[in-house]
């Protein structure tokens, strides 16, 4: 496309600085203490979209955090790309493990990012990746290279389950009408190995509370004679996997979409080094479900993980006590065909079943979402593949990811269009972890690749 690389190179310092400003606002959707900041971020996104060339931008109220909607319609007869992203971020804690404050972005070089990476919460997930689209739009409008119509829908509740987004889509189908949905909120294999995400796992997130005696007890006077909720809860949790690391919840695997041998061997061709994987995580060996490779375990297989567990005394020194209650947060990653609400029910029934007499268990479902998988023999995928070919000089590899963007399955159902997941993050970018960062090379490469998708998609679908 005309002057695309030149425009990005000439403006790269400003592109980086603008992103840094956005990253300074702590838009943590999970914590009400940041409510003002989340709202201010929506405002900042609105201004950025306007400046990038949207004709109209509005902040749409929802029962939760607002959705920023912007559009530029150049010709109703041309195709329309709908960009989705999120302006909210994960909580920064544990804050003491950050080398620099999470909301004071700094640029540092790393082994994978010798050109520099921006360190800040949200740098990669998803402010940096969302902002690539804003700057790609800027290039297209400022240089007369926008080939089609574009709409933006940027939400502020992705990290807490996107509850208002379903509500919003339901009420705004016309407004959101599009020919393809474009999202950068995933990753790629490596800087020299572009990939397009063709699958996401579903999710069921629950919290459990186990109660034993009605009050905390002296562990000498009562120990051994009553159920200790922490002992019992950890035992119950441990029993959720068998010796082969299969999940023991009855019916859990009933609907799992098993891959054919052919699909599995195709998957095994994806470049991957187990040695490097272990080295990066400083682990002696990997761990997981018997009969599956590491890449299969973290993408096409369902899992169950404890995300947090608490109860009893955790202060200084020792306190001899049997706590009345113990708690855990548990997530299950799901694969195509498993229904998240059904799985939540199966978990609940099973967990209540295995609680011994003398205890009471409460299972509180949080949020969830369906898994997603898309074929590659579509015009949408082909257009994306062509964009990568132009930009990287090689064909991208289709790859199923282990992460979840629950709203993607809903998009296809409600808006009847295909989604293209063009991620530019790397696994080493530490999303959701301390020291999250986004490579400047990746950021600029994204801005240079996105307009090419618009071009190919328009050429391939224009009537
Ligand atoms: N962007 C991530 C999901 C992601 C990251 C998918 C990398 C594929 C590769 C998203 O913001 C996220 O964190 N999703 C949550 C689910 C949500 C309901 C909290 C997740 O996957 O844990
Ligand atoms: Mn994200
Ligand atoms: Mn996330």
């Amino acid at each position: 496309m005309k002057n695309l690389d030149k425009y990005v190179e000439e403006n790269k310092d400003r592109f980086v600085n603008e992103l840094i400003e956005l990253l300074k606002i702590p838009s943590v959707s999970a914590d009400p203490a940041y409510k003002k900041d989340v709202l201010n971020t929506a405002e900042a996104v609105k201004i950025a979209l306007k400046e990038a060339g949207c004709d109209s931008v509005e902040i749409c109220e929802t029962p939760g955090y607002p959705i920023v909607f912007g559009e530029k319609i150049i010709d109703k007869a041309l195709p329309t790309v709908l960009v989705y992203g999120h302006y909210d971020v994960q909580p920064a804690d544990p804050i003491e493990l950050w080398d620099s404050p999470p909301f004071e972005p700094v640029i540092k070089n790393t082994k994978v990012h010798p050109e520099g990476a921006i360190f800040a919460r949200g740098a990669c997930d998803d402010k940096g990746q969302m902002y690539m689209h804003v700057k790609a739009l800027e290039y297209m409008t400022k240089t007369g290279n926008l080939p089609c119509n574009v709409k933006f829908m940027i939400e502020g509740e992705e990290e807490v389950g996107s509850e208002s987004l379903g509500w919003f889509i339901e009420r705004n189908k016309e407004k959101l009408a599009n020919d393809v949905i474009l999202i950068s909120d995933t990753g790629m294999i490596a800087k020299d190995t572009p990939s397009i995400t063709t699958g996401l796992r579903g999710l069921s997130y629950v919290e459990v509370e186990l109660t034993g005696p009605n009050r905390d007890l002296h562990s000498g006077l009562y120990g051994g004679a009553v159920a200790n909720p922490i002992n019992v809860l950890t035992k119950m949790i441990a029993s959720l996997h068998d010796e082969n690391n299969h999940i023991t919840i009855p019916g859990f695997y009933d609907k799992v979409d098993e891959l054919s041998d052919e699909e599995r061997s195709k998957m095994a061709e994806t470049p991957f080094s187990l040695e490097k994987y272990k080295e990066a995580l400083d682990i002696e060996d990997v761990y997981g479900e018997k009969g599956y490779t590491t890449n299969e375990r973290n993408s096409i297989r369902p899992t169950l993980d404890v995300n947090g567990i608490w109860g009893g005394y955790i202060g200084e020194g020792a306190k001899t006590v049997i706590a009345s209650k113990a708690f855990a947060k548990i997530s299950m990653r799901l694969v195509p065909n498993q229904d998240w609400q059904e799985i939540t029910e199966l978990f609940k029934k099973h967990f209540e079943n295995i609680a011994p007499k003398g205890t009471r268990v409460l299972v509180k479902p949080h949020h969830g979402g369906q898994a997603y998988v898309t074929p590659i023999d579509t015009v949408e995928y082909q257009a994306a593949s062509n964009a990568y070919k132009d930009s990287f000089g090689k064909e991208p590899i289709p790859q199923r990811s282990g992460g979840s963007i629950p709203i993607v399955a809903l998009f296809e159902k409600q808006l009847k269009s295909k989604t293209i997941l063009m991620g530019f993050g790397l696994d080493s970018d530490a999303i959701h972890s301390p020291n999250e960062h986004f490579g400047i090379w990746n950021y600029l490469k994204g801005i240079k690749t996105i307009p090419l998708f618009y071009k190919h998609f328009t050429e391939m679908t224009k009537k």
Side-chain angles (χ1 to χ4, degrees):
M1 265 170 119
K2 233 179 120 228
N3 291 334
L4 171 55
D5 288 9
K6 185 166 166 263
Y7 187 87
V8 176
E9 286 306 320
E10 280 173 6
N11 291 284
K12 65 180 178 193
D13 292 343
R14 177 171 58 85
F15 289 177
V16 168
N17 289 331
E18 285 178 18
L19 174 57
I20 284 178
E21 287 308 307
L22 193 65
L23 290 167
K24 287 182 184 169
I25 324 176
S27 51
V28 180
S29 51
D31 186 346
Y34 294 97
K35 184 168 179 194
K36 257 221 158 81
D37 298 297
V38 181
L39 297 173
N40 286 340
T41 309
E43 205 57 56
V45 171
K46 178 185 166 178
I47 294 168
L49 279 172
K50 189 96 207 162
E51 282 175 357
C54 277
D55 289 331
S56 67
V57 191
E58 48 181 320
I59 294 203
C60 307
E61 297 304 329
T62 73
Y65 283 121
I67 289 162
V68 186
F69 180 84
E71 65 180 7
K72 184 167 183 70
I73 308 294
I74 55 171
D75 179 352
K76 286 232 159 78
L78 286 168
T80 301
V81 175
L82 173 68
V83 176
Y84 162 84
H86 61 95
Y87 64 80
D88 64 322
V89 302
Q90 282 278 319
D93 43 314
I95 214 145
E96 65 280 7
L97 295 184
W98 285 75
D99 295 330
S100 56
F103 299 107
E104 294 171 28
V106 290
I107 297 173
K108 281 187 284 189
N109 296 349
T110 71
K111 222 163 107 193
V112 240
H113 298 296
E115 307 85 358
I118 307 174
F119 282 74
R121 171 57 86 229
C124 177
D125 183 11
D126 180 42
K127 281 176 176 164
Q129 296 211 68
M130 175 270 288
Y131 210 69
M132 297 182 315
H133 288 268
V134 181
K135 294 299 101 179
L137 175 70
E138 177 193 306
Y139 155 74
M140 291 185 285
T141 59
K142 300 275 141 85
T143 61
N145 278 304
L146 180 65
C148 61
N149 305 311
V150 55
K151 295 178 180 178
F152 275 77
M153 169 172 64
I154 312 297
E155 73 151 318
E157 294 184 317
E158 197 279 339
E159 299 292 7
V160 289
S162 297
E163 250 167 276
S164 305
L165 195 58
W167 178 95
F168 183 74
I169 296 172
E170 186 69 41
R171 285 163 181 74
N172 293 282
K173 286 193 188 151
E174 193 96 351
K175 189 190 191 94
L176 300 171
N178 65 81
D179 297 285
V180 64
I181 298 165
L182 187 57
I183 304 178
S184 295
D185 193 21
T186 53
M188 60 194 261
I189 295 174
K191 284 160 81 176
D192 58 358
T193 317
S195 56
I196 296 176
T197 303
T198 52
L200 294 163
R201 284 195 285 193
L203 182 71
S204 161
Y205 203 108
V206 299
E207 188 167 326
V208 298
E209 174 185 320
L210 191 95
T211 310
N214 60 358
R215 58 181 169 90
D216 287 8
L217 301 172
H218 188 291
S219 66
L221 295 181
Y222 289 93
V226 294
N228 175 332
I230 300 177
N231 292 6
V232 171
L233 181 64
T234 50
K235 193 168 164 185
M236 284 165 68
I237 288 173
S239 79
L240 296 174
H241 289 95
D242 69 13
E243 66 283 5
N244 293 322
N245 279 314
H246 288 302
I247 294 156
T248 57
I249 300 168
F252 186 83
Y253 291 101
D254 282 3
K255 296 194 174 160
V256 166
D257 200 359
E258 301 279 350
L259 264 65
S260 66
D261 288 346
E262 201 192 323
E263 287 171 302
R264 288 181 70 183
S265 55
K266 187 96 193 88
M267 237 187 109
E269 290 169 17
T270 307
F272 174 73
S273 156
L274 190 59
E275 280 320 305
K276 284 208 182 114
Y277 187 85
K278 291 190 284 192
E279 198 188 298
L281 301 176
D282 194 17
I283 49 177
E284 210 176 306
D285 207 350
V286 289
Y287 184 93
E289 190 182 5
K290 195 173 170 193
Y292 295 92
T293 66
T294 295
N295 271 337
E296 290 172 336
R297 287 169 179 168
N298 67 24
S299 65
I300 59 161
R301 297 298 295 166
T303 58
L304 183 151
D305 279 292
V306 178
N307 298 107
I309 185 161
W310 69 103
Y313 183 71
I314 53 164
E316 283 293 317
K319 178 184 179 193
T320 47
V321 66
I322 293 172
S324 164
K325 286 177 188 292
F327 306 83
K329 291 184 195 275
I330 297 173
S331 66
M332 289 164 277
R333 295 283 169 174
L334 311 175
V335 297
N337 253 342
Q338 284 182 299
D339 177 75
W340 78 270
Q341 274 157 330
E342 216 171 287
I343 293 291
T344 306
E345 249 338 281
L346 289 179
F347 175 92
K348 186 172 186 303
K349 234 169 74 199
H350 178 65
F351 216 64
E352 285 166 358
N353 253 334
I354 61 174
K357 272 216 176 98
T359 66
R360 274 167 296 140
V361 66
L362 191 70
V363 176
K364 283 186 270 182
H366 277 263
H367 50 262
Q370 310 296 41
Y372 169 80
V373 65
T374 186
I376 62 171
D377 57 353
T378 63
V379 56
E380 293 85 350
Y381 185 91
Q382 215 42 61
S385 180
N386 290 344
Y388 278 85
K389 260 186 268 171
D390 289 355
S391 162
F392 287 80
K394 49 170 110 163
E395 215 164 304
I397 297 171
Q399 188 199 28
R400 278 174 67 170
S401 169
S404 310
I405 310 177
I407 210 67
V408 171
L410 197 75
F411 281 156
E412 299 216 340
K413 206 166 140 216
Q414 299 265 34
L415 302 174
K416 314 262 182 280
S417 43
K418 287 262 153 237
T419 303
I420 293 297
L421 298 162
M422 270 190 163
F424 290 90
L426 299 178
D427 281 353
S428 55
D429 288 347
I431 63 171
H432 292 209
S433 305
N435 303 314
E436 174 178 354
H437 54 279
F438 190 34
I440 289 175
W441 183 89
N442 298 65
Y443 177 53
L444 300 176
K445 196 69 174 170
I447 305 172
K448 291 173 186 168
T449 307
I450 291 162
L452 295 165
F453 173 76
Y454 281 66
K455 174 181 152 230
H456 285 291
F457 183 71
T458 306
E459 283 170 1
M460 293 165 80
T461 58
K462 195 157 71 178
K463 279 156 215 125

